[in-house]
């Protein structure tokens, strides 16, 4: 675990760890786009208290029993698409999602990627986004992540996955400076390393899928993702694992209550074809802006999509939820899918995980159970 700080001061602050002062080191100095410095410090594994600038920081738990999961949370500004970033209730509710999720007192937060959406200026005279920053710079990242998510950032440690909006054509500079797990700030073009987070009997394996094209096989991209999966296999160490990445391997399409194969990501599908995924109990992703579970029985791991953090949703996903069987990439799946803004809470129950999806009223509108690599979700 690592503590990071963004400061406009001339030097990095000091942490207080169990009553002792500890120096933070500079991760990145000021630039024109990011006129502040990023400081970092490794957190001692057995630390009992950590304070920074007068604030007590949440500490990692060796056995996190409650995990909040969300993704795809930024506000879209990409001409001609203009989301209502100035309406935190109905237009862009990420701040509401983060506040409600913080009240659940999670032990860990997992964000499955896509933080940065404000790519182009707000059109002149457009009230929905008037005054909004844009472009890959600090003010934009502050508006997209650090300001609206403040209550949830203060509630628990986070695991960050890289989304396609953090690729090197969009928000790559901010990603590598602020959120990437590597100890050094990488310069684009670059990928994030695969890494593992032990959560007690299960390992989260975070794999970069920012680059692989959804629709066209691109050999270099397929090979790069295959290499990331090879790194994941080396980190599994025989424990049950959840593969955490941004792009879904498998997706579905919905027309009213009819469900069809959504084709998923062709490069990811090709990379997993024939690969032994036994021991991967769950594939946890975002990218598609809805809440979807796919259970494939013994054919392959189940997949859970939680792309519900605040970005524009597909009108095809309007209520009610769609439930039923669907053939996806040569295997039969039992599907549950719905369009909602909100967040997902996973609670450990012995060897199982039970989940609840909360909407913007904080009502539970779907419940799930992960048991022995089988995922079932249903309307609450």
């Amino acid at each position: 675990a690592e503590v990071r700080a963004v400061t406009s001061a001339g030097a990095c602050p000091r942490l207080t760890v169990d009553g002792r002062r500890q120096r933070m080191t500079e991760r990145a100095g000021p630039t024109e786009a990011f006129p502040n410095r990023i400081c970092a410090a490794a957190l001692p594994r057995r630390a009992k208290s950590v304070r920074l600038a007068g604030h007590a920081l949440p500490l990692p738990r060796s056995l996190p029993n409650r995990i909040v999961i969300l993704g795809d949370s930024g506000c879209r500004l990409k001409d001609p698409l203009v989301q209502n970033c100035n309406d935190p209730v109905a237009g862009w509710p990420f701040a509401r999602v983060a506040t409600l999720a913080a009240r659940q007192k999670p032990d860990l937060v997992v964000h499955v990627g896509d933080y940065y959406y404000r790519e182009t200026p707000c059109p002149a005279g457009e009230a929905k986004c008037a005054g909004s920053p844009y472009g890959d710079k600090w003010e934009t990242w502050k508006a997209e992540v650090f300001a609206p998510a403040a209550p949830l950032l203060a509630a628990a440690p986070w695991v960050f996955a890289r989304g396609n909006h953090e690729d090197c054509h969009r928000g790559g500079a901010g990603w590598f400076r602020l959120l990437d797990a590597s100890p050094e700030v990488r310069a684009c073009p670059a990928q994030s390393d695969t890494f593992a987070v032990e959560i007690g009997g299960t390992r989260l394996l975070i794999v970069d899928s920012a680059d692989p094209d959804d629709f066209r096989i691109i050999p270099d991209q397929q090979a790069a993702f295959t290499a990331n999966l090879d790194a994941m296999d080396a980190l599994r160490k025989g424990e049950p694992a959840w593969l955490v990445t941004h792009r879904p391997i498998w997706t579905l399409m919905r027309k009213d209550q009819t469900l069809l194969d959504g084709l998923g990501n062709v490069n990811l599908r090709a990379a997993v074809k024939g690969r032994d995924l036994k021991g991967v109990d769950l594939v946890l992703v975002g990218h598609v802006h809805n809440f979807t579970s796919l259970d494939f029985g013994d054919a392959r791991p189940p997949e859970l999509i939680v792309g519900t953090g605040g970005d524009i949703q597909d009108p095809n996903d309007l209520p009610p939820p769609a439930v039923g069987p669907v053939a996806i990439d040569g295997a039969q799946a039992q599907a549950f899918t719905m369009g909602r803004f909100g967040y997902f809470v996973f609670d450990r129950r012995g060897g199982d995980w039970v989940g609840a999806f909360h909407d913007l009223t904080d009502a539970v509108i779907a419940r799930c159970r992960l048991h022995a690599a089988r995922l079932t979700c249903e309307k609450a």
Side-chain angles (χ1 to χ4, degrees):
E2 189 172 73
V3 177
R4 290 190 184 168
V6 181
T7 178
S8 56
C12 287
R14 290 178 179 265
L15 291 173
T16 303
V17 181
D18 295 336
R20 294 183 178 180
R21 302 273 276 172
Q22 176 179 328
R23 186 181 300 278
M24 301 188 79
T25 59
E26 184 175 280
R27 174 177 171 83
T31 67
E32 182 178 355
F34 295 88
N36 44 36
R37 67 188 73 248
I38 311 301
C39 303
L43 188 63
R45 189 175 293 272
R46 294 179 178 81
K48 293 183 172 59
S49 69
V50 179
R51 299 186 70 84
L52 175 62
H55 298 281
L57 304 186
L59 296 176
R61 294 177 179 266
S62 59
L63 193 71
N65 290 318
R66 170 164 286 190
I67 302 176
V68 158
I69 301 165
L70 73 165
D72 300 85
S73 54
C75 189
R76 189 178 296 259
L77 291 183
K78 188 172 184 180
D79 188 47
L81 289 172
V82 176
Q83 191 171 352
N84 194 341
C85 304
N86 292 332
D87 180 357
V89 178
W92 179 53
F94 179 41
R96 172 73 175 163
V97 170
T99 297
L100 293 174
R103 293 175 185 171
Q104 295 292 328
K105 298 181 179 179
D107 300 322
L108 184 69
V109 176
V110 177
H111 194 298
V112 292
D114 276 8
Y115 315 81
Y116 165 82
Y117 283 86
R118 304 187 201 206
E119 298 181 54
T120 58
C122 180
E126 178 56 80
K128 292 194 295 186
C129 53
S132 174
Y134 69 93
D136 190 5
K137 59 187 181 183
W138 167 245
E139 286 303 318
T140 309
W141 279 87
K142 182 179 178 181
E144 293 275 68
V145 182
F146 295 97
L152 192 53
L153 287 164
W158 284 46
V159 171
F160 299 96
R162 184 187 183 200
N164 63 299
H165 279 255
E166 291 77 56
D167 69 15
C168 284
H169 303 290
R170 291 171 169 173
W175 163 261
F176 285 113
R177 180 183 178 91
L178 297 165
L179 302 181
D180 183 52
S182 175
E184 75 279 354
V185 178
R186 294 181 175 169
C188 283
Q191 280 200 96
S192 293
D193 291 335
T194 300
F195 66 97
V197 177
E198 174 63 52
I199 61 169
T202 300
R203 297 174 76 82
L204 306 184
L205 301 172
I206 294 80
V207 178
D208 188 345
S209 61
D211 291 333
D213 190 272
D214 285 334
F215 306 109
R216 295 179 299 129
I217 287 285
I218 300 177
D220 288 350
Q221 293 180 356
Q222 181 185 326
F225 187 74
T226 299
N228 291 344
L229 292 178
D230 292 341
M232 176 192 81
D233 288 341
L235 293 170
R236 280 163 63 177
K237 297 186 177 179
E239 287 190 8
W242 298 356
L243 166 55
V244 181
T245 193
H246 177 65
R247 295 181 191 261
I249 304 172
W250 309 284
T251 59
L252 54 78
M253 294 187 295
R254 174 180 175 180
K255 184 172 177 59
D256 299 323
Q257 295 296 298
T258 301
L259 301 176
L260 302 168
D261 189 343
L263 302 183
N265 181 285
V266 294
N267 289 283
L268 271 60
R269 280 191 180 192
V272 302
K273 195 75 73 176
R275 179 177 287 268
D276 181 10
L277 292 176
K278 291 189 182 301
V280 176
D281 287 355
L282 181 66
V283 178
L284 181 59
V285 295
H287 191 53
V288 179
H289 297 174
N290 63 23
F291 179 81
T292 296
S293 70
L294 296 171
D295 183 79
F296 294 96
D298 295 331
R300 58 176 67 123
E303 185 180 71
L304 183 65
I305 301 172
V306 193
T308 58
D311 191 62
I312 295 171
Q313 297 191 322
D314 189 333
N316 288 330
D317 291 327
L318 291 174
V323 181
V326 57
I328 295 181
D329 194 23
Q332 197 72 11
Q334 181 65 27
F336 176 97
T337 185
M338 64 181 184
R340 292 290 199 285
F341 290 122
Y343 63 95
F344 186 67
V345 178
F346 238 170
D347 285 316
R348 192 192 304 265
R349 294 286 186 270
D352 293 353
W353 289 85
V354 297
F357 184 88
H358 296 246
D359 69 8
L360 294 180
T361 71
D362 219 20
V364 175
I365 57 172
R367 295 191 184 277
C368 303
R369 179 177 291 272
L370 179 65
H371 170 76
R374 298 294 304 273
L375 178 66
T376 57
C377 293
E378 61 186 13
K379 184 178 178 181

